[in-house]
Every structure is written in C-alpha cells, then in structure tokens.
Amino acid sequence: MADNTIINVKDVHKTFVSEAKQSLWDRFRGKTHEVKRVEVLKGVNLEVAQSETVVILGSSGSGKSTLLRCINKLETIDAGRIYVHGHMIGYREQNGALVAERASVTAKKRTDVGMVFQHFNLFLNKTALGNVMAPLRDIKNLSAADARIKAVHHLEMVGLGDKLDNYPSKLSGGQKQRVAIARALAMEPAVMLFDEPTSALDPELVGEVLAVIKRIAQAGTTMVIVTHEMQFAREIATRIVVMDQGLIVEEGPPETIFTNPQHDKTRALLSRSQTSPQASES
Amino acid sequence: MDFITDTLAVFPSLIGAVPIVLQLAAGAMILALVLGLLVALARISQFKVLRAIAVFYVEVIRGTPLLVQLVYIFFVLPSIGIAIDPIPAGILGLGLNYAAYLSEVFRSAILSVESGQTEAALSLGYTPTKALWKVVIPQSFVVSLGPIGNYFIAMVKDTALTSVIAVTEILKTANILNSQTFQTTEIYTAAAILYLMLSLPLSRIVVLLERKARSRG
Ligand SMILES: Nc1ncnc2c1ncn2[C@@H]1O[C@H](COP(=O)(O)OP(=O)(O)OP(=O)(O)O)[C@@H](O)[C@H]1O
Ligand SMILES: [Mg+2]
C-alpha cells in the first residue's frame, strides 16, 4: 500500500439478507421461515490514491452503490477490510475476525469521507447556508462566525452565493445537489464519494452539477464517482472501474477503456450508451 | 333578558378558576411533552425491553379512561402511602395520559423524516444519537406542532375532569355555585362559554403556528 493511498478496499464481501414476507397462513402451517440472500459484493478490491478521480461504471444492480456505502460504513460488510487513510472503518480486528467498533469511533472516521447522494438528502428544515453550517458547527465545533464564513465560501464556490437563505423547497434539483456538494466539501474530507449525483435531475440541470464536480476534481480532490454519464466519465476520470454482478471486471485509464474495452460487459455498457439519445447529442 | 344578565353575573365567580385551569394544562403539557418524547424514543430504540415497556405504557393508558386514571392517582395511591394534593395529582394524571398520545405523534413524526437525511448526517460525521437530536427531532417537532396544539386544546377541556379529584377548576367552581344558588342553567351556560373563550383563541393560534411551520418546510 503506497503512502498516498486514501481508500483501500480489500476482498470485500457483502450479502443482503431479507426475510421474505410470510403469510399468516404459511406460519400457521408451520412453514419454515424463508430467508432471501443476495450476494451483492463478491470480493471487491479497489485502491484509490490521492488526487485520483475514479469513476465506477456498471449496469443497474451490479453493486456500485453498495460499494460506496460500505466505504462510508452506511452498510455493514461480511468479510474483507476497508481502510480510509490507513484506518479500518467500521470495524476492528480481533483474532482475525471483524468486530464492529463504537458508533462514535466510526463517526469520527466518516468525517474523512464526504458523500453526495442521488437524492441530495438536504436537511429540509435548514436553508442552504444552514445545511452547510450545521456539520461545521455540530461536528467541527466551529464558532457561528467561522462556520458562516466557511459555508458562504463553499456555497459561492458551487455558484450559489445568491441562494444562501433559500430553503430546499425553494431550490431546483441542480441547486439542491450543489448545496449537498458544498456541505460535504466544507468538511474538508480526504475523499468525496458521489453516487449518481445527476440521475435524479432534469436533463437541463445535469450540466451545472457536472461542471461543479469537474471543477472540484481539477482542484485535486480525491473522488470516487458512480455515474451513467459516459461522456462525463471519459472527460473527468483518471481511472475507470467497471463492475458487474458484484465484482470489478475491468479497470484502466479512460482512453483504454473507451477505445479498447476488454470485457464483454464493458463493451455492452459502452455500446448501449452510444445509442442512447443523450450520448448522441454531444 | 334576565337570562343573559344572570349568566353574565356568574362570570366573575368563575373567572377565578381560569388560572388554575391554565396551571393544570401548562404543567401537564410540559410533563406530557417530555415523557411523550421519551416514550417515543423508547419505542424506536434498538433495545427490545425498552420497546416493550413503551408499548405496554401506551396500551395501558389508551385502554383506560382518563377519569379512572385521575381517580386512581388521587384515591388509590394514598392507600400505598403516596398522597398527592389535588392540583399536582391533576397535572400528573393529565400529563401521564397525554404523554401516551403525544408519544404516538412524535413516533410517526420521527419516522416521517426521510431516512436519507439521517444517512447524510451520518456521512458528515454525526453519531446516530447526534443525528437523531440535531437533525431528526427538530424536524419532527415542526411536523408535530399541529397535533400537539390540538392535544393542548383537548387538554384544556379535559381539565374539567379534575373536578372529581377536588381541584377547584371551572366546573368544580360551577358545581359549588350551583349548590348555593340553584341557577343551574345560567351557571353551566357561563361555564361552557368560558371553556369556549379559552379554546377558540387557542385553535386560532394552532392554525397560525401550523401555517408558519409549513411555509418554511
Ligand atoms: N437494503 C437492501 N436489501 C436487500 N437487497 C438490497 C439492498 N440494497 C441493495 N440491494 C440489492 O443489491 C443489489 C445491488 O444494489 P446496488 O444498489 O448496489 O446496485 P447499483 O449498482 O448501485 O445499481 P443502480 O445503478 O440501479 O443504482 C441489487 O440487486 C439490489 O436489489
Ligand atoms: Mg446505485
């Protein structure tokens, strides 16, 4: 592991276990409890170095979101290790087994990882400024004045200097997502994770968000981005990672992936996007 | 004309009970808010025992009449050595009762705050507890404002029940007057109007509060 490794995912396995809905009649007959298991990550390895922009591609259900959420310990894992900045997140090792660590310890480590969600997840009772200030006050313990200066700075950076006092209900989708980006970025995380940041947006609002993300990448922020925007992926990525059915099946620099894809799945993804109306536009 | 002037003449004697009604309602509401929130938190906690205790509490309270609860506190508890004065007993009874109902209001309000916001808070470094207190609960209070206000109005009216445990609130005062003057119609009409004069402005305030809260969300 090189010194400048920010994220190190080693052989991570994740299975979702859900209890199938059982009718009263089934239970009455003493039918055994049905448990549904879906193995979503089947041994994923991924290293992300400082200043890299890694874009994860993959068809729906391939496990992209789950992988990002595991890096932030929003999901538990069954096996493997995830290190952020050299620290294992969510667990400690005891006799070679994973033991969940205290919530407050995980919380501290999470400040190293910023996350932007598909559905923005803004605090609805706070203005744009309030959203960005809240974690600076609550987690970083900045004074109101300092938090305000910092929050305003980051909101201006995403082009929302004139929307400070708007509540989320008075912002467009693109503006909401830019507030979410400012909120995460203001915490100065070591890495930013984006889970389909534009797929809940009207097409005409996608550009403004992508432009902001691009600007952050150019400033040297380490990022992992899940997206279906192929053109954007090609422009912004320093490395492309292709996932299929819970595994990374191909990775490499964007030029190689886009011009000379090796894996069938990658070819399928690329050809599908080339025939989609959005890609043919550009 | 006589009826109206006679009814109006009753008011000065009843007005003195209004501070007691407000004292009962305010005290009981504070108790109900605090306890209701605790019960709601217990009901969504990860500890089975806490959840069970909370469910038991809510079911027992909702399954028995408030009047019986008041009588129990005032007349039965002394037999096991817990004697409480009428007004504190009234506050306790009303508070314990409304806590059960408010806990349901809080619980559904907490669950109605999108789980995405909690996840966002966690990803920013909030602990689950901090996310609950800083992100979820403030919003559930806003969502609960209307129902809380309506329960408060109901509580003001329910203070009348404490007349059976010797609290000299409006109804009890009316009863005493009635036994002296036998102007039954005038006295109870005045009492009813007095309750209306308390609850109507309160309803108005609740509507305004709700409108204000909604305009922000
Ligand atoms: N909480 C859950 N419980 C059960 N199964 C889940 C859960 N979350 C995700 N899954 C399943 O895990 C698989 C991978 O989901 P994931 O969200 O990681 O896919 P994805 O690659 O992000 O797909 P998309 O492009 O649609 O967002 C899917 O089959 C999904 O149904
Ligand atoms: Mg996804």
Side-chain angles (χ1 to χ4, degrees), chain A residues 69 72 103-104 107 110-111 113 115 117 121-125 134-135 138-139 167 169 183-184 187, chain B residues 114-128 130 134-135 138-139 142 215-217:
Chain A
R69 293 166 57 80
N72 221 342
S104 58
R110 280 197 185 112
T111 57
V113 185
M115 181 141 183
F117 300 84
N121 298 355
L122 293 184
F123 305 140
L124 299 181
N125 61 335
D138 296 340
I139 308 300
Y167 283 93
S169 54
R183 181 176 68 177
M187 297 294 283
Chain B
E114 263 188 294
S115 65
Q117 289 188 52
T118 306
E119 287 198 337
L122 292 178
S123 79
L124 289 161
Y126 288 71
T127 61
K130 205 165 193 173
K134 293 278 187 178
V135 174
Q139 288 185 68
V142 176
S215 75
R216 263 187 19 163

Side-chain angles (χ1 to χ4, degrees), chain A residues 69-101:
Chain A
R69 293 166 57 80
C70 285
I71 294 173
N72 221 342
K73 185 60 190 356
L74 290 176
E75 299 287 355
T76 57
I77 60 174
D78 302 319
R81 304 282 184 270
I82 297 176
Y83 300 91
V84 175
H85 248 166
H87 301 290
M88 204 194 311
I89 189 159
Y91 301 90
R92 58 200 165 74
E93 225 170 303
Q94 203 169 317
N95 304 328
L98 292 178
V99 182
E101 67 184 1

